Amino acid sequence: MNPETEYREGLDQLMVHYKEILRLLGEDTGREGLQKTPERVAKAMQILTRGYAQDAHAVLTAALFKEDYNQMVIVKDIDFFSLCEHHLLPFYGKVHVAYIPNGYITGLSKIARVVDIFSHRLQVQERLTQQIMECIQDTLHPMGTMVVVEAKHMCMQMRGVEKQNAITTTSAFSKAFNQAKTREEFMNLLRGESKRI
């Protein structure tokens, strides 16, 4: 599915509901600036939730390669944007993923695609972190997986406590990463400066 040109079932109903929401907020839905807003918002919401129509496990297995490598593989600083399921406001930041292969590796871009799929759903950061970790662990069967997510939440910045600089960090890990030494190695590599290529 190309989210810019193909939309899921229900688009017309979404447009009707968004028009009614604008009216209930006190807007004149007939004025020039708002005439196409219900359509634009409906399409945007389908794009922002396209992860519901995608299979993260299939993405990983599409690029699965047998490889005799059993050291840590890290893909860090994966940018993401998601929608908080409590207020439908964005939260955004970076995801860092590590896994220790157990006979198989996957294409590096596929790790970023997994992040993209789970972040394009209504989420809470804790569940997003866990889903990414479980998908990689359950699909690749590595010796261990660890995921760290760092994010800013617009529901904290724009409303409520209105704290613009608060960052939330969550982590999820399995198997080999249950050992503090392995987790520490991952965290030290995350903190290290990236070499210029």
Side-chain angles (χ1 to χ4, degrees):
M1 179 180 109
N2 180 343
E4 297 296 339
T5 58
E6 300 173 36
Y7 297 95
R8 305 192 305 276
E9 186 179 342
L11 183 66
D12 290 338
Q13 294 96 316
L14 281 173
M15 290 164 54
V16 170
H17 290 297
Y18 278 117
K19 185 172 183 177
E20 179 63 8
I21 288 169
L22 289 172
R23 187 190 69 77
L24 289 170
L25 290 173
E27 273 292 354
D28 172 10
T29 59
R31 71 179 175 87
E32 184 181 11
L34 289 178
Q35 286 177 4
K36 292 189 176 180
T37 297
E39 178 184 357
R40 290 187 190 106
V41 176
K43 288 179 176 179
M45 288 302 290
Q46 284 210 350
I47 291 169
L48 294 172
T49 60
R50 67 179 181 256
Y52 289 121
Q54 298 173 321
D55 184 344
H57 296 278
V59 165
L60 287 178
T61 55
L64 196 60
F65 308 104
K66 189 166 180 58
E67 191 65 45
D68 185 23
Y69 182 83
N70 60 3
Q71 301 300 312
M72 199 179 298
V73 175
I74 298 175
V75 183
K76 66 178 185 175
D77 295 330
I78 303 168
D79 292 317
F80 82 94
F81 298 88
S82 192
L83 287 176
C84 163
E85 68 181 32
H86 299 145
H87 302 98
L88 298 188
L89 290 173
F91 67 99
Y92 60 95
K94 294 189 181 295
V95 176
H96 316 288
V97 176
Y99 74 98
I100 302 172
N102 189 18
Y104 289 91
I105 60 171
T106 189
L108 297 176
S109 67
K110 304 306 180 186
I111 301 292
R113 289 281 294 122
V114 167
V115 171
D116 188 57
I117 289 169
F118 286 116
S119 64
H120 280 80
R121 300 177 183 183
L122 301 184
Q123 281 287 11
V124 294
Q125 184 174 333
E126 296 87 345
R127 184 192 313 125
L128 173 64
T129 308
Q130 189 73 22
Q131 286 178 332
I132 296 167
M133 186 277 293
E134 288 176 351
C135 179
I136 294 167
Q137 186 64 45
D138 294 345
T139 308
L140 300 182
H141 306 290
M143 288 185 274
T145 306
M146 184 165 177
V147 175
V148 173
V149 178
E150 301 171 300
K152 287 189 171 186
H153 293 249
M154 297 302 285
C155 58
M156 283 184 66
Q157 294 177 298
M158 294 175 66
R159 55 160 300 284
V161 294
E162 296 185 12
K163 300 301 179 192
Q164 279 70 41
N165 296 311
I167 297 174
T168 302
T169 302
T170 50
S171 66
F173 50 86
S174 65
K175 299 184 79 172
F177 287 93
N178 286 320
Q179 299 175 28
K181 183 178 179 181
T182 309
R183 292 197 306 275
E184 185 178 351
E185 179 184 350
F186 175 40
M187 297 307 291
N188 286 338
L189 288 167
L190 283 187
R191 287 189 287 264
E193 292 187 10
S194 300
K195 293 181 180 177
R196 293 186 181 273
I197 298 175

